[in-house]
Amino acid sequence: QLIFQSILEEFVFSLIQVFQEEMPLQEKMRILIQKRYEFVEKNPEFPNFIHNEIKRNAEFMQHNKKVFDKIASSGIFEEAHIAQQKGEMRQIDMFHITMLIMSNCDFPFISRNFHISTQELTEEEITEKLSEHRHIVSDMLMNYLFPNTTHS
């Protein structure tokens, strides 16, 4: 548990650094999506661990709420709200943005064994497909969140 806790905190603090940099919101969001996907790619047991800890241990979430409160204090939510008001970003609640990012970045790894079995993929093939999927997820989410913008 302590290892995952320290990995999570390191990940969150790396996001805070990005959120506090002077760059367009779209770039921050693209980096967030890519970092989340890469984080789960490097720690594929992380989504299952979090799910189990939430069910098992209420204190786990209390501690992590403090970690995530630091994201809120970075100003990223206010920046997103301003972009939404200007019409640069789709009008969508941060709850839904979080759910979109988590589900699209986490579920490919949760369902990994399902795809290996049902599609008869080798380890090499699933690894390649999951790596390809990172780009699909990033493009899809960016096009959804910023529909009036050309994305590279």
Side-chain angles (χ1 to χ4, degrees), residues 23-34:
M23 67 175 75
L25 177 63
Q26 290 180 40
E27 189 60 26
K28 291 178 183 181
M29 292 302 292
R30 180 175 293 284
I31 292 170
L32 163 64
I33 293 163
Q34 290 171 347

Side-chain angles (χ1 to χ4, degrees), residues 47-74:
N48 287 327
F49 170 78
I50 293 296
H51 179 74
N52 290 333
E53 283 302 301
I54 290 170
K55 288 191 316 188
R56 187 183 74 78
N57 182 358
E59 290 177 17
F60 177 80
M61 281 314 299
Q62 290 172 348
H63 174 75
N64 283 301
K65 178 162 179 358
K66 293 174 188 170
V67 172
F68 288 105
D69 285 345
K70 292 178 181 180
I71 289 177
S73 68
S74 74

